[in-house]
Amino acid sequence: MKSEGYELADVLTEKPHEFTVGRKHYHLYPITLAKMFLLRGYIEGLSVNYTILSQNPLLEALRIVGQHREICCSIIAIHTTPNTYQDIYDRRAIAARRSAFMKIGDNDLATLMVLVLTADKTEHLMQVTGIAAEQERLKKVMSVKKAKDNNSLNFGGLTIFGTFIAPLKEIGYSDNEIIFEKGYTFLRLMLADKITTVMLTDKERENLFIRDGGTMIDGNDPASMKKVEDFTAEYGLKIKK
């Protein structure tokens, strides 16, 4: 299994996975937004058992290949399409690769299917890098801001256009880069890990700690310590100074 560092390096460099069929070399390129939408219907047609796929991926892949060989070859043909607008709509080239993959043996085709079905490491990387936890922290902070600012209303963000494409365009990416060229994992991680600064008042900071199950006590502040002493005194306890 690759380490977190190697996985991030593969995402950063968008390294393709090379394999050979006969004398021809092919590459499994990173999944882009365009490919995700193209592949959706094919993947649904496979009726993948993701529980078995996670426990015994080759076994599940062999079952899929045995039942849906043509669909599997179409999926791999899309995965081996270079990430450009022109290539994704080059139907002749995609059809030629699909025909070539139809000649591959079941075991080799199943191995390729394991690679493509487990290619998306976005959520895994969000977890192991701490980005997911950081997003949860940001949600808590923003909930405190929203609770105070009752005059603020948000609109939009109902589809991928507002939640994914628009922020990337604001950063400076073109439509072609977002949809056809840059890997989806690359873009997701960049958006999720983008530095965000939220200004909080002292009261908002206090409310934030309360929502987390407590409040912040400054041991050097006599007033704060007096509150602690009063609270513990109610239960017959005394703080030794």
Side-chain angles (χ1 to χ4, degrees), residues 215-234 237-241:
T215 187
M216 183 172 62
I217 297 295
D218 185 353
N220 296 317
D221 180 13
S224 294
M225 291 307 298
K226 181 65 168 57
K227 290 181 181 179
V228 176
E229 290 174 10
D230 292 344
F231 175 79
T232 57
E234 293 180 8
L237 302 174
K238 185 177 180 180
I239 296 179
K240 186 176 180 180
K241 298 181 181 180

Side-chain angles (χ1 to χ4, degrees), residues 104-222:
I104 300 177
D106 285 356
N107 286 339
D108 290 337
L109 191 58
T111 300
L112 289 172
M113 285 303 297
V114 170
L115 291 174
V116 302
L117 289 174
T118 61
D120 185 3
K121 299 292 193 301
T122 308
E123 297 304 326
H124 166 70
L125 287 171
M126 294 271 281
Q127 293 293 332
V128 298
T129 57
I131 293 176
E134 195 75 351
Q135 286 187 314
E136 286 302 314
R137 288 183 61 222
L138 179 59
K139 284 181 182 178
K140 291 181 180 179
V141 172
M142 295 309 295
S143 69
V144 170
K145 295 290 290 184
K146 186 177 180 181
K148 180 183 177 183
D149 188 4
N150 295 323
N151 296 321
S152 177
L153 297 175
N154 293 324
F155 298 91
L158 301 178
T159 70
I160 196 169
F161 289 96
T163 59
F164 187 74
I165 296 176
L168 289 168
K169 287 177 70 67
E170 289 175 1
I171 292 174
Y173 281 96
S174 68
D175 290 336
N176 270 348
E177 288 174 318
I178 297 168
I179 300 170
F180 297 102
E181 297 174 4
K182 301 300 293 183
Y184 175 74
T185 299
F186 179 99
L187 296 175
R188 270 284 307 277
L189 292 179
M190 185 183 64
L191 279 182
D193 201 29
K194 180 176 175 290
I195 296 175
T196 302
T197 301
V198 180
M199 301 301 296
L200 295 174
T201 64
D202 290 341
K203 183 62 176 177
E204 287 169 340
R205 288 180 63 87
E206 182 180 342
N207 289 340
L208 179 61
F209 284 107
I210 291 173
R211 289 191 177 204
D212 279 338
T215 187
M216 183 172 62
I217 297 295
D218 185 353
N220 296 317
D221 180 13

Side-chain angles (χ1 to χ4, degrees), residues 67-123:
Q67 296 178 358
H68 308 285
R69 169 172 277 271
E70 291 187 11
I71 296 179
C72 291
C73 291
S74 295
I75 289 172
I76 296 172
I78 293 173
H79 274 271
T80 53
T81 299
N83 290 336
T84 71
Y85 174 90
Q86 291 78 13
D87 286 299
I88 204 69
Y89 288 115
D90 189 344
R91 297 183 183 278
R92 286 188 177 181
I94 293 176
R97 289 196 300 276
R98 181 172 59 241
S99 297
F101 300 148
M102 286 292 290
K103 302 173 184 176
I104 300 177
D106 285 356
N107 286 339
D108 290 337
L109 191 58
T111 300
L112 289 172
M113 285 303 297
V114 170
L115 291 174
V116 302
L117 289 174
T118 61
D120 185 3
K121 299 292 193 301
T122 308
E123 297 304 326

